[in-house]
Amino acid sequence: LLLLARDDSGAATGFVDLQVWPERASAEFGGGIRADLQSASMGTRGAAALFNWLFDDIGVRLIAMTNALDNIRTARLLASHGYRLQANRKT
C-alpha cells in the first residue's frame, strides 16, 4: 500500500509505503514527511498510529525496521517507540 497524507490545501505532507504479509503476520514500511513539517513530532505520532493499527487491527506480530546508522531522525523515532539498535551478526 502507498498511503499519502495531504494538508487542507491538498498538498502532500507525507507518505508511507507499506507491505504486509498476512501469512507471516509481518510487515515492513518506509515513509517520509515534507521537509517543512519535520521535527514537529508528526513522524512519531504517525508511527504510533501505524504501529497500533498494524498490531491491533491487522494482526501483525512482527515489523521489520531498518535505517542507515547516520539517519538520526529515524533512529530517534524508532527509539521513542522502544526499538533498539541490533548490529548485524556474521555467521
Side-chain angles (χ1 to χ4, degrees):
L1 298 172
L2 180 61
L3 309 169
L4 183 64
R6 297 182 182 272
D7 62 18
D8 292 337
S9 70
T13 58
F15 74 95
V16 174
D17 175 21
L18 173 67
Q19 293 105 48
V20 177
W21 297 279
E23 69 279 5
R24 294 190 176 104
S26 62
E28 174 184 41
F29 75 91
I33 295 177
R34 195 171 68 199
D36 64 319
L37 299 173
Q38 293 179 1
S39 298
S41 298
M42 291 182 73
T44 300
R45 289 192 310 265
L50 180 64
F51 294 161
N52 289 336
W53 178 66
L54 287 170
F55 287 127
D56 297 342
D57 297 328
I58 303 300
V60 164
R61 295 183 301 160
L62 174 69
I63 297 177
M65 306 296 295
T66 60
N67 71 284
L69 293 176
D70 62 350
N71 185 336
I72 303 297
R73 290 178 191 268
T74 299
R76 281 195 319 230
L77 180 143
L78 296 176
S80 74
H81 290 289
Y83 288 89
R84 295 174 304 181
L85 176 64
Q86 180 178 349
N88 290 332
R89 298 180 189 166
K90 293 183 181 182
T91 55

